[in-house]
Amino acid sequence: MTYEEFIALEQPSDQLSPYLTALWHERHGDWNRAHEIVQDIETREASVIHAYLHRVEGDLSNAQYWYSQAQRRAEMSLSLEEEWERLTREMLTL
């Protein structure tokens, strides 16, 4: 699936990874559902999405914790939109 196909989805497909499903829900205004999906997955991919979600929420200390769990540097110079796109493109390659 391409990035363009993903952003055009009206509903998340059952064939999407949990990472992409979480990003789809966040993009469509359901932060809680996105958080529910990734909070119990113990992978670097879930951790970086979890970090992003806490950044969206404005809880930067919690976001920093999750970036460290993902073994990533927080890219606070990126806008939330830019980070969402970067994460989505990355998750589409898995």
Side-chain angles (χ1 to χ4, degrees), residues 51 54-67 74 76:
H54 283 293
R55 187 171 168 227
V56 168
E57 181 186 35
D59 186 350
L60 299 183
S61 64
N62 204 353
Q64 288 287 23
Y65 169 80
W66 286 104
Y67 283 118
M76 297 301 186

Side-chain angles (χ1 to χ4, degrees), residues 17-64:
S17 70
Y19 313 124
L20 287 168
T21 302
L23 288 164
W24 186 94
H25 282 289
E26 192 283 323
R27 177 67 165 232
H28 290 85
D30 195 347
W31 185 96
N32 287 321
R33 181 70 186 119
H35 189 257
E36 288 172 2
I37 291 168
V38 297
Q39 71 181 349
D40 294 325
I41 302 173
E42 295 181 10
T43 63
R44 289 182 185 165
E45 294 83 7
S47 292
V48 74
I49 295 168
H50 201 162
Y52 164 77
L53 291 172
H54 283 293
R55 187 171 168 227
V56 168
E57 181 186 35
D59 186 350
L60 299 183
S61 64
N62 204 353
Q64 288 287 23

Side-chain angles (χ1 to χ4, degrees), residues 51 55 60-61 63-64 67 73-80 83:
R55 187 171 168 227
L60 299 183
S61 64
Q64 288 287 23
Y67 283 118
R73 229 178 78 242
E75 302 265 353
M76 297 301 186
S77 63
L78 291 177
S79 70
L80 292 172
E83 185 173 8

Side-chain angles (χ1 to χ4, degrees), residues 1 20 87-94:
M1 173 179 298
L20 287 168
L87 288 171
T88 300
R89 288 184 184 279
E90 179 182 336
M91 298 305 143
L92 283 166
T93 67
L94 300 179

